[in-house]
Amino acid sequence: MVAAACYSMLFLFGLMQGLIGAFQYSRSIGPVPVAALCFDVAIGITCVLGAWGMGRPLGGLMPALGWFLAVFVLDMATAGGSVVIANTVPGTWFLLGGTACVVSGVMIAFLRRSLTQKTRR
């Protein structure tokens, strides 16, 4: 029961990171989309630390699923044609960079798990 609650909280944490990042990604210093890059790195670290804390790769997958849900729902166009995440350089960095960091974080979690199982044998 406690593990299910922890996985749910990791999912909600990833969802909140995606939600907050979707509204704040466009902050930049000059031409560099600093906020988008920081949110990307943050979700990657969350995936790695979630897996490490739970001791299973599912702990890294849950914030990734929450992030994907929030970001892609907010990126879909409404009936009026508006979107939250615009097709700009910071928006592209937020979406593509975040996806790369999520995939990297989950892959690190799975690799770490397989390496620790291999050394236990």
Side-chain angles (χ1 to χ4, degrees), residues 44 47 64 68 98-109:
C47 291
F68 274 121
T99 302
C101 287
V102 162
V103 169
S104 299
V106 171
M107 291 300 291
I108 289 169

Coordinates of all heavy atoms in Angstrom, one line a residue, residues 44 47 64 68 98-109:
G44 N 14.7 14.7 -16.0 CA 15.6 13.6 -16.1 C 16.2 13.1 -14.8 O 16.2 11.9 -14.5
C47 N 13.5 11.2 -12.8 CA 13.4 9.8 -13.2 C 14.5 9.0 -12.6 O 14.2 7.9 -12.1 CB 13.4 9.7 -14.7 SG 11.9 10.4 -15.5
A64 N 8.0 9.9 -15.5 CA 8.1 10.1 -16.9 C 6.7 10.0 -17.5 O 6.3 10.9 -18.4 CB 9.0 9.0 -17.6
F68 N 4.9 13.1 -19.5 CA 4.3 13.0 -20.9 C 2.9 13.3 -20.9 O 2.4 14.0 -21.9 CB 4.6 11.5 -21.4 CG 5.9 11.3 -22.0 CD1 6.8 10.4 -21.5 CD2 6.3 12.1 -23.1 CE1 8.0 10.2 -22.1 CE2 7.5 11.9 -23.7 CZ 8.4 10.9 -23.2
G98 N 13.1 17.6 -23.2 CA 12.4 16.9 -22.1 C 12.2 15.4 -22.4 O 12.4 14.5 -21.6
T99 N 11.8 15.1 -23.6 CA 11.6 13.8 -24.1 C 13.0 13.0 -24.0 O 13.0 11.9 -23.5 CB 11.0 13.7 -25.5 OG1 9.8 14.4 -25.5 CG2 10.8 12.3 -25.9
A100 N 14.0 13.6 -24.5 CA 15.3 13.0 -24.5 C 15.8 12.8 -23.0 O 16.4 11.7 -22.7 CB 16.4 13.9 -25.2
C101 N 15.6 13.7 -22.1 CA 16.0 13.5 -20.7 C 15.1 12.5 -20.0 O 15.7 11.7 -19.2 CB 15.9 14.9 -20.0 SG 17.1 16.0 -20.5
V102 N 13.8 12.4 -20.4 CA 13.0 11.4 -19.8 C 13.5 10.0 -20.2 O 13.6 9.1 -19.4 CB 11.5 11.6 -20.1 CG1 10.7 10.4 -19.9 CG2 11.0 12.7 -19.3
V103 N 13.7 9.8 -21.5 CA 14.2 8.6 -22.0 C 15.5 8.2 -21.5 O 15.7 7.0 -21.1 CB 14.2 8.6 -23.6 CG1 14.9 7.4 -24.2 CG2 12.8 8.7 -24.2
S104 N 16.4 9.2 -21.3 CA 17.7 8.9 -20.7 C 17.6 8.5 -19.3 O 18.3 7.6 -18.8 CB 18.6 10.1 -20.9 OG 18.8 10.5 -22.2
G105 N 16.7 9.2 -18.5 CA 16.6 8.9 -17.1 C 16.0 7.5 -16.9 O 16.4 6.7 -16.0
V106 N 15.0 7.1 -17.7 CA 14.4 5.8 -17.6 C 15.4 4.7 -18.0 O 15.6 3.7 -17.4 CB 13.1 5.7 -18.4 CG1 12.6 4.3 -18.5 CG2 12.1 6.6 -17.8
M107 N 16.2 5.0 -19.1 CA 17.2 4.0 -19.5 C 18.3 3.8 -18.5 O 18.8 2.7 -18.2 CB 17.9 4.5 -20.9 CG 16.9 4.4 -22.0 SD 16.3 2.7 -22.4 CE 17.8 2.0 -22.9
I108 N 18.7 4.9 -17.8 CA 19.7 4.8 -16.8 C 19.1 4.0 -15.6 O 19.8 3.2 -15.0 CB 20.1 6.2 -16.3 CG1 21.0 6.9 -17.3 CG2 20.8 6.2 -14.9 CD1 21.2 8.4 -17.1
A109 N 17.8 4.2 -15.3 CA 17.2 3.4 -14.3 C 17.2 1.9 -14.6 O 17.5 1.1 -13.8 CB 15.8 3.9 -14.0

